[in-house]
Amino acid sequence: MDNALSAPVAAGPVMITPVNATPNFVQRLGDLPLRSKLTMGAGLVALAGAVLAITLWSSQGDYRPLFTGLSDKDGGGVIGQLASMNVPYKHEAGGTILVPAGQVHELRMKLAALGLPKGGAGGGAGNAVGFELMDKSSIGQTQFAERLNFQRGLEGELAHTIKTTSDVVDARVHLAIPQQNGFFREQQKPSASVVLTLRGGRTLDRNQIAGIVHVVSSAVPELAPKAVSIVDQTGALLSQTGPDSATGLDTQQLQYKQQVEAGYGKRIFELLEPVVGRDNLRASVTADVDFSQTEATAEEYRPNQGPNAPAAVRSSQSNESNNANAAMPTGVPGAATNQPPVPATAPINGASAPLQTAQGGAGNNNSRREQVTNYEVDKTVRVTRGATGNVKRLNAAIVVNHRTLTDAKGKTTTTPVSADEITRLTDLVKEAMGFNAERGDSVKVISAPFIVDKTEPLDIPVWKQPWLLDIARSAIVPLAFVAIALIAVFGMIRPAIRAAAPAPPEDKPESVDEVVDDTELLPGGGMPRLEAPMHNEKLERARTLARDNPVAVANIMRDWMAGETA
């Protein structure tokens, strides 16, 4: 084949086709059909829109509630402040304002420093006024109107005070203050009702509720804390001060009883769980607690320390008087009275007695003595107050699971706990709970097999798993934008670019010029003389073509010899 290529041929002159310059990419795009141009333009627009949508969606971020349940007035103030701070927001129905999740706490503090939101939810008690109502008093105001304004002002002031609590969004206070009248023997006591609107997901503990009750009861004269009722926005009663109808205990007493029972139960678990194993023990403790309050006062009198012991004199009073008078003469005044006395004689026959001479009378002597001595008497005053919350009786019931034994072959068997071990466990429980037989305590420990319910896991398909659904919901929007971008690139832009790209060179030459670049006429005959290509690459291509497709090479040689131009 190489000889054939180098042999002279009797053919006419070879015509060399001029090679045109290759057009650039822009020119090739201009040569495309109109349909391809429109398709490529639509693809570029769709790609730009998808990229812009993905950028905006990623910069939008996650939105969380900043405030919920705002009134129109408060919502407008918050939105205006957010707009002035260049913060993106969303407003939903129900007075809910959404902001980016990373700025929720910062915005709440900034708005709180500005006093926003000012009112309450729904414009209810948030617009309540206080004692400024008393500033607007008319000349013809009646006593009833003045009393009513005072009550309204007191309710508003209490509502403002309660709203200072961090967990309370809004508060409304209703006071029932009866008119005091001196003609009634038994006056009616005042009462109060408080309605609270709590923040989302917040609750008030017992101390906070007691604080609100104390604030309201202290602001109204003769208002007992038990007469204050507090409810939340759902209507649930928060201040239950009266006794429970089922147990006869109030909230604090019931809580104390539960704490006592939980404390004894914890002792039992901490003591027996290392012995019987985890999840092999169940214990229940019932405590009978005495909440009765007793108070006794006793006064005792006792004699002195002994009969011979000197008594302590508290006070002594002595009074003595003596009256002495001289003797006075007695008898009938006259001469006979001056005569010496004669023996007395009895009258005879009823004749009158003769006059007797005066005799000297005896003198009067009165003597009086009084002495009062007060001694100290021993006195003992004893006041005894019985303590509340004393444990009257304890009852404990413990169930221990059967022992599980596994042999060498892997077979599992269960055996009950022996009686000796039950006795030892009972003694441990008695020591842990402070068993006292005199007050009627009882402890019962038994061994029984625990029944474990075998719950078969639900075979939920993967495409129904909650985590997969959450991922799908969060990724559906960006995936849609990415799909649009891929369709625009591979379905609309890429075909147009490939159509405008230059065609790659083919292995099969279409003319002789691709095989032989330099031709020269032979001397004398005008026949072309073939010379070897200047480049090794073209030579290798010619050899490869002759080796792989000898028929094509033979046709080329025949055309040369016939004088035809390829």
Side-chain angles (χ1 to χ4, degrees):
M1 187 61 65
D2 294 338
N3 296 330
L5 291 174
S6 60
V9 292
V14 178
M15 298 179 62
I16 300 175
T17 305
V19 180
N20 296 330
T22 303
N24 56 18
F25 181 74
V26 178
Q27 292 177 354
R28 290 193 296 270
L29 286 178
D31 296 338
L32 291 177
L34 180 61
R35 181 177 179 180
S36 299
K37 294 179 181 179
L38 294 177
T39 303
M40 183 177 181
L44 290 175
V45 172
L47 178 62
V51 173
L52 180 61
I54 292 175
T55 303
L56 294 177
W57 184 84
S58 60
S59 62
Q60 183 179 5
D62 187 15
Y63 276 71
R64 296 293 177 85
L66 178 64
F67 295 110
T68 59
L70 292 178
S71 61
D72 295 339
K73 182 178 179 180
D74 293 334
V78 172
I79 289 176
Q81 190 64 33
L82 292 177
S84 63
M85 297 167 63
N86 296 326
V87 177
Y89 64 88
K90 293 181 181 180
H91 184 268
E92 295 183 354
T96 302
I97 298 178
L98 305 176
V99 294
Q103 304 180 13
V104 172
H105 300 289
E106 180 182 359
L107 291 174
R108 283 180 180 175
M109 289 187 290
K110 290 182 178 179
L111 294 175
L114 299 174
L116 293 175
K118 296 181 179 179
N127 300 325
V129 293
F131 282 131
E132 57 267 20
L133 281 174
M134 306 302 295
D135 298 337
K136 302 176 182 179
S137 59
S138 59
I139 299 176
Q141 187 176 14
T142 62
Q143 183 180 3
F144 174 77
E146 183 178 0
R147 187 172 64 253
L148 183 60
N149 288 337
F150 174 78
Q151 181 173 340
R152 289 179 56 195
L154 183 58
E155 291 175 352
E157 292 293 336
L158 289 174
H160 293 327
T161 304
I162 295 173
K163 283 193 296 183
T164 57
T165 307
S166 59
D167 297 334
V168 178
V169 177
D170 188 19
R172 189 163 185 174
V173 181
H174 300 277
L175 298 177
I177 303 177
Q179 182 179 0
Q180 300 296 334
N181 193 337
F183 294 100
F184 292 116
R185 180 173 299 177
E186 295 181 359
Q187 300 290 345
Q188 187 177 1
K189 300 298 181 181
S191 60
S193 299
V194 182
V195 181
L196 302 178
T197 301
L198 304 179
R199 299 187 185 276
R202 303 290 183 88
T203 57
L204 297 179
D205 57 13
R206 185 169 57 87
N207 294 329
Q208 290 176 319
I209 296 173
I212 295 175
V213 171
H214 183 72
V215 167
V216 176
S217 61
S218 300
V220 181
E222 299 184 2
L223 177 59
K226 294 183 179 180
V228 180
S229 301
I230 300 178
V231 297
D232 59 3
Q233 68 269 22
T234 61
L237 181 62
L238 303 180
S239 60
Q240 185 177 357
T241 57
D244 189 4
S245 58
T247 60
L249 305 177
D250 58 10
T251 305
Q252 297 181 0
Q253 294 175 352
L254 184 60
Q255 185 178 5
Y256 176 77
K257 182 176 181 294
Q258 293 174 354
Q259 290 177 355
V260 171
E261 294 175 349
Y264 284 109
K266 184 178 179 181
R267 292 183 188 178
I268 295 174
F269 268 96
E270 291 178 352
L271 185 64
L272 298 186
E273 203 170 41
V275 178
V276 300
R278 188 177 181 86
D279 296 333
N280 290 326
L281 178 68
R282 296 293 183 271
S284 177
V285 179
T286 304
D288 187 3
V289 184
D290 185 13
F291 292 101
S292 60
Q293 298 180 359
T294 58
E295 182 175 351
T297 303
E299 292 186 2
E300 296 179 358
Y301 296 90
R302 62 175 182 174
N304 292 301
Q305 285 75 8
N308 298 325
V313 178
R314 182 172 61 181
S315 63
S316 178
Q317 183 179 1
S318 179
N319 186 10
E320 184 177 354
S321 63
N322 188 5
N323 296 327
N325 296 326
M328 299 297 294
T330 60
V332 179
T337 59
N338 294 325
Q339 298 295 323
V342 296
T345 57
I348 300 174
N349 299 327
S352 62
L355 295 177
Q356 297 180 359
T357 60
Q359 300 177 3
N364 295 327
N365 189 4
N366 296 326
S367 178
R368 181 179 180 184
R369 177 179 296 177
E370 292 182 0
Q371 185 174 0
V372 178
T373 303
N374 295 323
Y375 297 94
E376 290 289 351
V377 178
D378 293 338
K379 176 182 179 181
T380 302
V381 179
R382 183 179 295 108
V383 179
T384 304
R385 293 184 177 88
T388 59
N390 295 327
V391 178
K392 296 173 59 177
R393 185 171 57 255
L394 289 175
N395 299 323
I398 298 98
V399 180
V400 180
N401 191 14
H402 282 185
R403 295 295 175 85
T404 302
L405 301 176
T406 303
D407 55 7
K409 297 181 180 180
K411 185 178 180 181
T412 302
T413 58
T414 58
T415 58
V417 181
S418 62
D420 295 338
E421 189 172 358
I422 291 293
T423 303
R424 291 195 298 268
L425 295 178
T426 304
D427 295 337
L428 287 176
V429 173
K430 289 182 178 180
E431 293 296 332
M433 62 184 298
F435 182 82
N436 189 357
E438 294 180 357
R439 65 183 181 185
D441 294 351
S442 64
V443 176
K444 184 65 175 179
V445 180
I446 65 172
S447 176
F450 288 3
I451 299 176
V452 180
D453 296 334
K454 296 182 180 180
T455 57
E456 297 180 359
L458 298 177
D459 190 8
I460 302 177
V462 179
W463 57 275
K464 287 186 178 182
Q465 295 291 338
W467 59 270
L468 184 60
L469 296 178
D470 294 338
I471 295 176
R473 293 190 191 97
S474 59
I476 187 171
V477 175
L479 289 179
F481 293 149
V482 171
I484 293 174
L486 293 177
I487 292 174
V489 170
F490 293 99
M492 305 173 73
I493 299 176
R494 185 181 179 185
I497 294 176
R498 294 184 63 180
E506 297 180 359
D507 293 338
K508 180 180 178 180
E510 296 180 357
S511 62
V512 182
D513 297 333
E514 297 182 2
V515 179
V516 181
D517 290 339
D518 297 332
T519 59
E520 185 177 349
L521 295 176
L522 295 175
M527 297 300 293
R529 181 173 59 86
L530 298 178
E531 295 182 357
M534 299 298 295
H535 302 287
N536 293 332
E537 182 180 358
K538 294 182 179 180
L539 179 60
E540 291 296 331
R541 290 173 60 189
R543 290 176 178 176
T544 302
L545 178 63
R547 182 173 59 253
D548 296 340
N549 198 351
V551 178
V553 174
N555 293 333
I556 293 173
M557 299 300 296
R558 186 174 61 251
D559 293 340
W560 284 358
M561 295 175 65
E564 297 179 356
T565 303

